[in-house]
Every structure is written in structure tokens, then in C-alpha cells.
Amino acid sequence: MHDSKPSPTLFERTGVAYFPLALVARLPFAMMVVGVLTLVVSARESLQLGGLSSAVVGIGSAIVGPFIGAAADRYGQRIALLIAAVTHSAALVGLAFIAYSAAPDWAMLAVAFAVGATSPQTSPMSRSRLVLIIQNFLPTERRPKVMSQVLAYESAADEVVFVFGPVIVGVLATFFGPRTPILAAAALTLLFIIAFALHHTSAPAKSAAERAETLAPASELARPSLLVVVAGITGVGMVFGSTLTALTAFMQAQGQPEAAGLFYGIMGIGSAILAISVSLFSPKFTLRYRWLVFALFVLTGEAFLAGAASATQIAIGLAITGIGIGPLLVTLYSLGTARSPEGRSATVMTMLGSGVILGQSLSSAVGGSIAENVGVSAALVLPLYAAVFIAVAGALNWILTPSGTGRDV
């Protein structure tokens, strides 16, 4: 490994400040969906409209996110992120004021869509930067190990931010009013996303002309082996959204709705810890096996949740789900990385990130409606359907992945 001159490390290429910066730059995204829900419920006094607004944010992000990724692949991350940061902050501030105005609901929903559509895709952009640094600058023999560690770290970072984002929203809204989390997200976006955009790692390794020449055709993004990964990760988003909604409804029925976030943390923290441990797995435990094994944990945990009658059973169900969900996310991102067409790294990462947010927001809206109109026990079953969806996608992936190809099994 070490000859006369030590080989470069990832830290040397990124600098130490990169990781905390990329972590904080994710916060606005994690605060967005719950922040919008809190704001609209408070301003318009309708849980259903709140759920619809946060679903619209998710849909906006899922539809436009991959185009922001494609722009980053073609023109470089810096310009794509700077435009997104400024427009996103403006949309957030606009929403904070239109929610309390006399404007009709549809106008507010249009601004909510703009909030999602302009959301800077920090997580996918960070993954894409690190993947390209590993592929371009690290010695071949060290790449698989470092790639596994980086994708594990990135998933754990997402988990932590997605657990603490809603907690920060709750604290800010409780002490400073429902508008504060959205305005705080706008300020964080301007400060940290712009800093993230200007960080030296965003400077592309190739010129725009070189990138355009080596860019794989967009049609390659529609390969079944890549789309099945997008489907699987959308299922993970559905687990997140439906679990949080069911948990909120259950805790509300118990008379302690504020405890929902703490219980959700049981799944998130366990999930983050296990995501980190993925880099220790043997290469013989291949990606297609991992998908099915961890899907089984998610299925078991959500089956527990579906039949839960007490807070203890809920906690056990969430803990088991957490064992599966973190490593599953890392596995899906690893498959996405392995199957990315040339030059399309940021696009693929935003497709996967959009899958999570789309699954989360749609299942939150459906779960909220079912909890309100059918009942809590019906809402508790929804995450189990999401887990079944992940397992089916995993089985399809098994069929689409020829054994022995080495690259993506």
C-alpha cells in the first residue's frame, strides 16, 4: 500500500472541514417536510391540508431533484447549487408569509411545490462528490473499502439528520412560533448550502466540454437494474413516512403526541449505528443478498408494529426495523453507485434521494388521511405494506442481477 510516496487519502482531497459542512448543509432538507406540516397545520388549522402541503413539497423535490442532479453533471455542482440555494430560500420565506395570509389554499400549495422543487440536493451531491474523488484519485485496491465506508457514513449522516431535523423543528416551533423553523431553514440554506457550493470539492475534475463528451446517454438511466434500485429506495421512504405518521397517530391516541419523535429516534439511532457497521461486512455477503436479508428485518419489525397494542411493543418493532433499514439504505446506494452510467453520478444520486423523499411524503399524506378517517390500527398496518414492497423489489433485483458478475451482486 505504501511505496516511496504514500497514496492519497480521501481526507487529503476533501479537507477536514468538508464533513461537518456537508452534515449541517443537509439540515434544511430534513427540516423542510415536517416544518411545512407544522406551519400549515398551525396557520390554516387543518391536519389534512398540512399533510397535503408536505406531500406537495416531496413531490416537487422528487420531480425536479433529478433535473438539478443532471444540471450538476453537465455544468458542475457549484452553479446548480448556488441557483437552488437562492431560489429555495426565497420560496421558504414566501411560504412562511403566504400561509398566514388570506391567499387561497391552492396558491399556498403552489409555493409549497416551489419549496420542494428548488430544494438543494445536498445529500446526493455530497455522495456524488465523494464517489468521484474515490474513483478518480484513490488507488484501485483501496477503492472498494473506502467506497463502502463513505456510503455507510453518508447514510448514517442522513439518518441522524432526518431524526434530528424534525426534533429541531419541534423545539423551534414550540418556543418561537410555527413560522420560525421555516425561516431558520431559509437562513441555514443561504449560509451553509452556499458554503457547500463554494467548497473546493465542487470544482469538477473535467471541463464542461469534456463532461458533455463522456456523458452517457440519458436513456441509460432507464435500465431495469437501476430502476429497481430506485423502486427499493422509494419503499424505504414509504417506511419512514408511514411509520412516523402511524406513530404520531398512536401517541396522540395515548395522549402524548410529543413523544412520537422520541420513539421514532429508536429506529433512527439504531439504524445509523448499523449503517456505519456495513463497511465491516465480508465482500462474500454480496449486495443482492444484503437487500433480502435486511428487508427481512424491516418486515419483521413492521409486522410487530402492525399488531402493537402498547408503547413497549411499538418500541420493539421500531428497534427491529432500525436493524434492517440503515444497512438496507447503504446497500441500495451501493447498488446505485455500481450501476450509474458514466458521468451521471449526481443524476443517479438525486434519483435515489428523490425516491426516499417521494416515498416519505406520499406515505405521510396517505397515512395521515387513513389515521384520521379509518383509525390508528389501520395506519399501523401501512408500514408493513411498505416493507413488503421493499422485499418484492429485492426479489426482482435478485432476478435482474446475474450471479458472478462481481460488479453489482
Side-chain angles (χ1 to χ4, degrees):
M1 197 170 325
H2 287 253
D3 38 44
S4 55
K5 177 166 160 279
S7 53
T9 66
L10 185 64
F11 274 122
E12 281 167 22
R13 299 293 319 184
T14 60
V16 180
Y18 175 79
F19 289 92
L21 174 62
L23 188 69
V24 180
R26 287 166 213 250
L27 260 181
F29 194 73
M31 292 165 68
M32 181 175 71
V33 174
V34 182
V36 168
L37 178 70
T38 310
L39 174 77
V40 174
V41 169
S42 164
R44 302 273 163 134
E45 296 182 343
S46 161
L47 189 60
Q48 211 143 3
L49 184 61
L52 184 60
S53 303
S54 48
V56 166
V57 169
I59 292 164
S61 176
I63 291 173
V64 183
F67 291 103
I68 296 176
D73 278 332
R74 190 170 281 274
Y75 305 109
Q77 282 197 18
R78 189 162 291 180
I79 187 71
L81 279 167
L82 287 173
I83 293 170
V86 174
T87 51
H88 185 57
S89 287
L92 284 167
V93 173
L95 186 66
F97 288 95
I98 198 170
Y100 285 97
S101 73
D105 290 348
W106 65 263
M108 188 189 63
L109 289 171
V111 180
F113 182 85
V115 165
T118 55
S119 60
Q121 306 284 326
T122 319
S123 295
M125 298 285 189
S126 177
R127 278 190 179 84
S128 174
R129 280 186 205 187
L130 296 173
V131 162
L132 289 174
I133 288 171
I134 292 165
Q135 289 171 345
N136 291 329
F137 297 107
L138 262 58
T140 318
E141 73 278 0
R142 287 215 348 259
R143 281 177 204 167
K145 176 87 174 148
V146 178
M147 187 77 82
S148 180
Q149 288 169 338
V150 158
L151 290 174
Y153 163 77
E154 285 283 310
S155 295
D158 279 351
E159 290 276 340
V160 168
V161 167
F162 269 99
V163 169
F164 286 107
V167 175
I168 293 168
V169 169
V171 170
L172 289 175
T174 306
F175 290 106
F176 305 104
R179 209 182 251 171
T180 316
I182 290 292
L183 294 174
L188 281 171
T189 298
L190 277 181
L191 280 171
F192 288 96
I193 306 277
I194 287 178
F196 179 71
L198 297 174
H199 191 270
H200 71 85
T201 50
S202 72
K206 297 174 179 172
S207 70
E210 282 175 315
R211 274 201 306 281
E213 269 173 39
T214 56
L215 216 54
S219 58
E220 287 199 27
L221 294 166
R223 288 197 304 239
S225 61
L226 184 56
L227 293 180
V228 76
V229 180
V230 176
I233 213 159
T234 304
V236 172
M238 281 156 49
V239 166
F240 285 146
S242 56
T243 302
L244 185 55
T245 315
L247 193 54
T248 308
F250 182 85
M251 288 300 167
Q252 215 161 2
Q254 303 284 317
Q256 31 179 187
E258 65 287 340
L262 293 174
F263 271 85
Y264 192 60
I266 295 172
M267 179 171 91
I269 299 299
S271 175
I273 292 166
L274 280 141
I276 291 278
S277 69
V278 167
S279 58
L280 306 173
F281 293 163
S282 158
K284 291 196 180 102
F285 184 20
T286 58
L287 294 174
R288 64 182 195 151
Y289 273 108
R290 288 181 197 182
W291 187 337
L292 293 173
V293 168
F294 296 122
L296 204 60
F297 277 103
V298 177
L299 265 173
T300 309
E302 295 298 8
F304 243 96
L305 202 72
S310 70
T312 311
Q313 285 171 301
I314 293 257
I316 293 168
L318 290 170
I320 297 169
T321 304
I323 292 171
I325 212 100
L328 184 62
L329 260 183
V330 181
T331 301
L332 292 166
Y333 273 113
S334 302
L335 279 167
T337 303
R339 295 173 184 180
S340 288
E342 187 177 358
R344 295 277 181 186
S345 170
T347 313
V348 169
M349 291 302 166
T350 43
M351 282 167 70
L352 297 177
S354 295
V356 175
I357 200 90
L358 183 67
Q360 187 185 29
S361 41
L362 290 181
S363 61
S364 296
V366 172
S369 177
I370 285 179
E372 212 166 299
N373 301 313
V374 187
V376 176
S377 51
L380 282 170
V381 180
L382 280 184
L384 183 59
Y385 290 129
V388 170
F389 180 82
I390 293 170
V392 170
L396 267 177
N397 176 67
W398 182 277
I399 295 163
L400 287 168
T401 311
S403 66
T405 55
R407 193 169 71 99
D408 53 5
V409 289

